[in-house]
């Protein structure tokens, strides 16, 4: 995937709340171009964030997104990809463990639709966790609904709460469903089933079309728990039994 208008809006908002001090990384070399039907949405996002530059200020000639991240304050972002054909800084198969030299190296990691194309998702997520520094943030937007045939997987909010919050002991700043087309529907904010006491009930709430599972987590100094990540509502039932 590339950074579309919807993900641009999320990154602009993030830039008002978080600025990495060290290395930044994007999984896959993401592209960025202006989608003409939504031109006003780009400008509105910039005005909300009190950013004076116009949308064209964030483009680069080759169509990739490094300028976007740099001009939003995320630094000189590096790229990681499986193959060299798009010129990544780091060649890495996310199905395999990342080398120790990349552990605790990045203050910011962005996944704009890469992990859904990786078969070994648990290993890919473990890799992201290991590469993040404590205090660093991981932002992900992968298919949640409407993306059948696009990648290998679509994802559930339960993944965020089960893996990132409970197993990895991270802070979850955002866990939401957002529509790919700006203005189509309001974001759906997903609560933690372990706190509400029941599994999400979303019948009739998911609009037609492509939805992202968009989340933002922050790594803490707490050590990740050992053992498997267990789904929240089942874990509660087993504990009660």
């Amino acid at each position: 995937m590339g950074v579309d208008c919807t993900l641009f809006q999320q990154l602009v908002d993030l830039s008002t709340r978080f600025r990495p001090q060290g290395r930044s990384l994007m999984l896959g070399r993401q592209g960025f171009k202006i989608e003409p039907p939504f031109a006003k949405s780009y400008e509105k996002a910039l005005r909300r964030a009190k950013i004076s530059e116009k949308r064209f200020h964030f483009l680069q000639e080759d169509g990739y997104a490094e300028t976007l991240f740099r001009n939003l304050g995320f630094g000189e972002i590096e790229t990681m990809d499986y193959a060299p054909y798009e010129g990544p800084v780091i060649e890495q198969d996310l199905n395999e463990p990342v080398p120790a030299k990349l552990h605790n190296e990045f203050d910011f990691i962005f996944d704009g639709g890469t992990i859904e194309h990786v078969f070994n998702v648990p290993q890919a997520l473990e890799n992201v966790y290991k590469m993040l520094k404590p205090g660093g943030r991981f932002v992900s937007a992968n298919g949640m609904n409407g993306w059948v045939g696009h990648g290998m997987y679509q994802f559930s909010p339960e993944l965020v709460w089960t893996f990132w919050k409970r197993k990895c002991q991270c802070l979850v700043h955002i866990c939401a469903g957002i529509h790919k087309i700006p203005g189509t529907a309001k974001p759906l904010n997903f609560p933690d089933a372990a706190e509400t006491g029941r599994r999400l009930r979303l019948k009739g709430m998911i609009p037609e079309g492509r939805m992202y599972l968009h989340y933002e987590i922050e790594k803490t100094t707490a050590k990740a728990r050992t053992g498997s990540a267990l789904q929240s509502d089942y874990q509660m039932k087993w504990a009660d039994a």
Side-chain angles (χ1 to χ4, degrees):
M1 275 187 218
V3 178
D4 60 14
C5 184
T6 292
L7 299 187
F8 176 84
Q9 292 173 322
Q10 304 306 316
L11 287 169
V12 169
D13 173 70
L14 177 64
S15 74
T16 67
R17 300 181 284 106
F18 174 72
R19 294 292 178 96
Q21 300 302 307
R23 296 172 73 183
S24 293
L25 178 71
M26 61 172 148
L27 305 183
R29 194 176 182 196
Q30 303 293 326
F32 176 61
K33 63 181 181 179
I34 302 298
E35 298 173 278
F38 311 118
K40 291 183 179 180
S41 295
Y42 292 89
E43 300 300 337
K44 287 179 181 178
L46 293 168
R47 298 296 84 77
R48 283 195 299 269
K50 296 181 170 48
I51 296 173
S52 60
E53 287 84 359
K54 299 294 185 180
R55 60 190 182 276
F56 301 109
H57 177 72
F58 301 91
L59 296 171
Q60 62 190 57
E61 288 187 3
D62 61 8
Y64 290 109
E66 288 88 350
T67 299
L68 167 65
F69 285 95
R70 181 190 311 116
N71 291 352
L72 283 178
F74 297 113
E76 296 295 331
I77 196 163
E78 301 171 54
T79 56
M80 173 180 284
D81 213 333
Y82 175 84
Y85 80 104
E86 287 187 303
V89 175
I90 303 168
E91 290 182 33
Q92 172 67 38
D93 181 0
L94 287 172
N95 290 290
E96 303 295 335
V98 294
K101 67 181 180 181
L102 294 177
H103 291 187
N104 298 304
E105 277 294 309
F106 296 98
D107 285 328
F108 174 59
I109 300 177
F110 176 75
D111 174 20
T114 292
I115 289 180
E116 63 195 23
H117 301 283
V118 178
F119 178 74
N120 193 349
V121 170
Q123 181 63 65
L125 296 176
E126 292 277 1
N127 286 336
V128 171
Y129 174 76
K130 288 179 179 178
M131 288 191 292
L132 268 184
K133 285 182 180 179
R137 298 203 188 190
F138 174 52
V139 172
S140 175
N142 281 262
M144 184 187 81
N145 193 58
W147 295 88
V148 173
H150 177 81
M152 294 187 184
Y153 302 97
Q154 297 185 91
F155 294 103
S156 164
E158 179 63 24
L159 178 69
V160 181
W161 301 111
T162 293
F163 178 79
W164 287 111
K165 181 181 178 181
R166 273 178 284 288
K167 180 170 174 58
C168 293
Q169 302 289 289
C170 293
L171 298 176
V172 177
H173 292 285
I174 296 172
C175 180
I178 55 175
H179 205 283
K180 187 182 189 312
I181 306 301
T184 300
K186 291 183 178 180
L188 294 171
N189 294 308
F190 300 124
D192 181 358
E195 294 185 0
T196 64
R198 63 186 183 88
R199 190 177 296 182
L200 283 173
R201 299 289 188 265
L202 298 172
K203 186 176 180 180
M205 297 177 63
I206 304 295
E208 292 185 2
R210 291 181 166 185
M211 295 284 291
Y212 293 116
L213 175 64
H214 171 243
Y215 62 89
E216 174 191 333
I217 63 94
E218 179 180 344
K219 186 174 180 177
T220 70
T221 56
K223 289 186 177 181
R225 292 174 176 170
T226 59
S228 301
L230 301 173
Q231 187 167 335
S232 306
D233 57 328
Y234 285 129
Q235 193 170 17
M236 291 171 65
K237 289 177 181 177
W238 294 330
D240 290 342

